[in-house]
């Protein structure tokens, strides 16, 4: 059996780099991509046996869907800017629904 590696298309990688830049300006760091979701966190914490993001936002790179888990009020106030950065990413990807 061969191991199939999931590789994002070059255009998606480019669009993701732009999104990472926007999110960094808003106070979020890129955490990881897993199962078609990209997660950004404001802080990292220990979660059982691994490091996980705290105050995080996850977006799908396949369809329009995102999840925000924010406790800090300064981050909550940035949600409109985060939303626009995510919508810009989806528009660049050609995802409308």
């Amino acid at each position: 059996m061969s191991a199939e590696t999931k590789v994002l298309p070059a255009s998606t990688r480019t669009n993701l780099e732009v999104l990472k830049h926007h999110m960094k300006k808003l106070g979020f760091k890129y955490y990881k991509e897993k199962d078609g979701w990209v997660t950004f966190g404001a802080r990292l914490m220990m979660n059982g046996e691994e490091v996980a993001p705290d105050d995080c936002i996850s977006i799908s790179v396949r369809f329009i869907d995102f999840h925000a888990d924010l406790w800090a009020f300064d981050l909550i106030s940035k949600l409109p800017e985060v939303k626009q950065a995510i919508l810009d990413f989806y528009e660049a990807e050609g995802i409308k629904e």
Side-chain angles (χ1 to χ4, degrees), residues 27-29 39-45 52-57 68-76:
F28 294 91
K29 297 177 184 123
T39 301
F40 299 89
R43 291 173 282 286
L44 295 178
M45 63 174 193
D54 190 22
D55 282 327
C56 63
I57 292 177
D69 186 11
L70 302 176
W71 291 95
F73 287 113
D74 61 325
L75 296 175
I76 292 170

Side-chain angles (χ1 to χ4, degrees), residues 47-85:
N47 182 12
E49 299 175 0
E50 63 182 359
V51 175
D54 190 22
D55 282 327
C56 63
I57 292 177
S58 298
I59 71 157
S60 171
V61 295
R62 296 184 185 138
F63 53 89
I64 292 182
D65 197 10
F66 70 94
H67 170 81
D69 186 11
L70 302 176
W71 291 95
F73 287 113
D74 61 325
L75 296 175
I76 292 170
S77 69
K78 295 179 181 181
L79 275 176
E81 294 173 79
V82 168
K83 176 184 171 186
Q84 188 58 54

